[in-house]
Amino acid sequence: MAELVFVLGHSCSGKTTLAREIISHKQDNKECWAMLDKDTVGDKFSRRMLSMLGLPELDRDSPEYKKHIRDLEYLACLDVIREQLENNINVVTPGPWTKELNNGFIFDIEAMSLPKDTKLFYIFLDIPEDVLKKRMVERQHPRDKWKLDNWDIFKQTLKCPDMIGERGIIRITNEN
């Protein structure tokens, strides 16, 4: 039986850092774990597709990206996750998974076509708006440009999804 840990949260909340810490701890215990990040899995094809649509290669916020590419990134990541789980390799996946969280998809092993005995775990990293913005400014990632340029619009998305409380998901506030 393999395990899948979703590390959920907004940009700059510390998802990748926590995922790496989980992997390190598990590997110290001689457990077989992989980290699969949807940004890494989908980046190459997303950049090409965005360019073909006449959009900036690092766009991850426009309606066009969300309509044509976003779901493909998540489904591609899920395909790679599934393959690892089928080979009895545990997986931690950092990412927002917001749509899938809100519609309940990531709670449905059958809908995700995962092995039936997969154990699912969820951690949501919450982060105060001011800390998030400071981190975003400091990391200077080109993908954050739209968010920073349109902060008043972007900050409206920084809510903790209702599903977190409803499902009893571990919620950690990351204030550093």
Side-chain angles (χ1 to χ4, degrees):
M1 167 182 13
E3 297 178 10
L4 172 56
V5 178
F6 286 92
V7 179
L8 310 163
H10 302 295
S11 296
C12 292
S13 61
K15 298 179 302 290
T16 301
T17 300
L18 179 59
R20 287 181 179 139
E21 289 172 4
I22 291 169
I23 293 285
S24 178
H25 174 74
K26 297 292 189 174
Q27 289 177 339
D28 285 349
N29 291 326
K30 307 295 186 224
E31 295 179 40
C32 188
W33 281 79
M35 182 173 85
L36 294 169
D37 185 324
K38 76 97 187 156
D39 288 339
T40 305
V41 171
D43 189 60
K44 297 283 189 273
F45 73 79
S46 292
R47 285 177 184 242
R48 176 77 49 94
M49 291 174 72
L50 286 160
S51 180
M52 291 168 62
L53 290 170
L55 298 167
E57 287 187 355
L58 295 174
D59 173 12
R60 295 299 184 275
D61 296 289
S62 73
E64 293 86 0
Y65 162 78
K66 291 177 182 173
K67 178 180 178 184
H68 298 290
I69 300 169
R70 185 245 182 240
D71 291 351
L72 293 174
E73 285 185 330
Y74 283 89
L75 291 172
C77 187
L78 193 55
D79 284 347
V80 179
I81 289 169
R82 181 182 310 107
E83 188 171 53
Q84 300 313 300
L85 295 170
E86 287 170 349
N87 287 296
N88 214 27
I89 298 170
N90 302 299
V91 176
V92 61
T93 183
W97 295 89
T98 307
K99 179 180 177 180
E100 296 78 8
L101 175 65
N102 287 325
N103 67 20
F105 181 76
I106 62 172
F107 304 106
D108 190 336
I109 289 175
E110 189 174 312
M112 291 187 288
S113 299
L114 300 179
K116 292 185 189 316
D117 62 347
T118 302
K119 289 189 73 173
L120 300 175
F121 300 92
Y122 310 90
I123 302 168
F124 182 83
L125 293 178
D126 211 353
I127 185 167
E129 179 188 328
D130 60 326
V131 176
L132 183 147
K133 188 172 186 180
K134 179 178 182 276
R135 284 183 176 189
M136 213 175 268
V137 168
E138 287 174 355
R139 83 174 179 178
Q140 297 183 356
H141 195 290
R143 249 187 230 149
D144 295 332
K145 182 177 178 3
W146 184 93
K147 295 174 183 100
L148 291 168
D149 289 349
N150 298 278
W151 188 258
D152 287 338
I153 296 168
F154 173 70
K155 74 179 183 179
Q156 301 305 313
T157 68
L158 301 178
K159 301 174 198 148
C160 181
D162 293 338
M163 197 62 70
I164 301 301
E166 293 169 11
R167 294 278 183 159
I169 293 172
I170 297 168
R171 182 177 176 182
I172 300 169
T173 300
N174 192 352
E175 298 188 46
N176 312 2

